[in-house]
Amino acid sequence: MPDTPAPVNGLPSTGPPGNARPSGGPSAVDLPHTVVVALGDCADTKAGDHALLAELVARLTGVDAASVTLTQRCPRCGAGDHGPLRVSIAGSTSVAPWVSLARAGGRLALAVTAAGPVGIDLESLADLARAPITDVLLSPAETDALSALSPHVAQAAVAALWTTKEAILKVAGVGLRVDPRDLTVSLDGPATAPGPNATMARRRLVDWPQSPFPPTALHLLPVSSPPGTAATVAIVGACRPELYVMPARVG
Ligand SMILES: CC(C)(COP(=O)(O)OP(=O)(O)OC[C@H]1O[C@@H](n2cnc3c(N)ncnc32)[C@H](O)[C@@H]1OP(=O)(O)O)[C@@H](O)C(=O)NCCC(=O)NCCS
C-alpha cells in the first residue's frame, strides 16, 4: 500500500514566517501550489539522504516509495553521481515533482514541489561566520547596503544573501560555477540578528544579467530553519507557491 500524504497535514506548522499550512484539504498537500520543505538530521550516507527524499516524494504524491527513483546528471561533465537530482515515478503518467536537497552542519533540508523547478540551500551560521565569504558573495550594491547595518544584522543579511543566491544557482542548475557576485539580491522588510525571535527579510533578485528565467517567474521564500542555520528555497513557476515546513522523518 502506498504511504499516504497525511503526515504533512497532521504535523504542526513551526510558526511564521516561512511556514504555512498547505491550502489543500486535510489529506493532501496541493503540490502544484505548495513547496514542501522537510528539515531534519542527515542520514549516515548520501544514499540515505536520497532515500529520505524518495520517501518524502512518495508520501506527498501518494505512491509507493519503491516506485520513486532519483537520478543525477552533472550538466557540466555528464557524470551520474553528482549534479541536480531528478525524480521519476514508475507507472505514473503525471509530471513528477521537482526536488532539491541541501546539507549543513549535520542538518538536512529537502524541497519537493510540483509548482516548478526548485532549489534549496541550508547553511550553518557558525560556518558562515568563520568563513571570509563577503568578498566572494556580495555584489557592489549589496556591499553598500550591508555597510549601513549593525554587525549582528549584517551577519543575518549575509546568511540570507548566501542561501538565497545558492538556492537561485541551484534552481538554475549551475551551482557555484556562476560567480555569486554576478547576482544582486535585495532584502526587503524586517531583518534582525539570528535568534529565537528573528524575523526574516523578503528576498528579491534585482539583477542577474545571465539569468535563465524572467525575474517575475522566480519566487524566493525564506525558510524558518533550525536554530543556528539559515535556509532559502527558490522556485521557478507561474505563481508564487505556499511554503509548508515539516520534519524530514515522520515517526
Ligand atoms: C550546487 C552546489 C553549490 C552545492 O554545493 P554544497 O553547498 O556543497 O552542497 P549542498 O548541501 O548545498 O547541496 C548538495 C546538493 O546540491 C545538488 N546539486 C549539485 N549540483 C547541482 C547543480 N548544478 N544544480 C542544482 N543542484 C545541484 C545535489 O542534489 C547535491 O546533493 P548530493 O550531495 O546528494 O548529490 C555545488 O555542488 C556546485 O556548485 N555544483 C556545481 C559545480 C559543478 O558544476 N561542478 C562540475 C563538476 S564536473
Side-chain angles (χ1 to χ4, degrees):
M1 273 294 284
D3 293 333
T4 71
V8 171
N9 295 299
L11 290 163
S13 173
T14 48
N19 298 277
R21 283 197 168 278
S23 53
S27 63
V29 168
D30 181 17
L31 217 48
H33 300 102
T34 306
V35 54
V36 175
V37 170
L39 300 167
D41 292 334
C42 289
D44 293 337
T45 60
K46 171 170 157 164
D49 291 338
H50 292 187
L52 285 171
L53 180 55
E55 284 163 20
L56 179 64
V57 169
R59 285 204 303 276
L60 295 172
T61 56
V63 303
D64 194 282
S67 63
V68 177
T69 304
L70 296 181
T71 53
Q72 291 185 284
R73 176 105 6 230
C74 173
R76 184 182 169 112
C77 71
D81 62 352
H82 61 274
L85 286 159
R86 303 264 180 269
V87 176
S88 59
I89 300 177
S92 167
T93 50
S94 10
V95 177
W98 287 269
V99 297
S100 186
L101 173 159
R103 310 177 184 85
R107 300 287 195 160
L108 179 69
L110 308 171
V112 180
T113 184
V118 64
I120 191 164
D121 189 44
L122 174 76
E123 297 291 340
S124 149
L125 297 177
D127 288 351
L128 289 182
R130 269 195 298 272
I133 56 166
T134 50
D135 286 354
V136 295
L137 171 68
L138 302 178
S139 69
E142 292 163 349
T143 304
D144 281 353
L146 260 64
S147 66
L149 303 177
S150 70
H152 266 78
V153 176
Q155 190 191 352
V158 165
L161 290 173
W162 182 272
T163 59
T164 302
K165 290 188 180 191
E166 199 170 311
I168 294 170
L169 294 175
K170 279 183 170 178
V171 76
V174 291
L176 293 173
R177 274 189 288 131
V178 167
D179 189 331
R181 293 171 295 190
D182 292 353
L183 289 67
T184 294
V185 168
S186 78
L187 302 175
D188 305 324
T192 61
N197 300 314
T199 56
M200 293 183 292
R202 287 184 299 277
R203 294 106 210 255
R204 198 160 46 89
L205 177 63
V206 291
D207 189 38
W208 183 17
Q210 283 77 43
S211 176
F213 26 75
T216 49
L218 178 67
H219 309 287
L220 301 171
L221 283 65
V223 177
S224 182
S225 56
T229 65
T232 302
V233 64
I235 302 98
V236 175
C239 301
R240 184 179 179 86
E242 297 287 325
L243 172 63
Y244 184 67
V245 180
M246 59 177 284
R249 293 167 201 264
V250 177

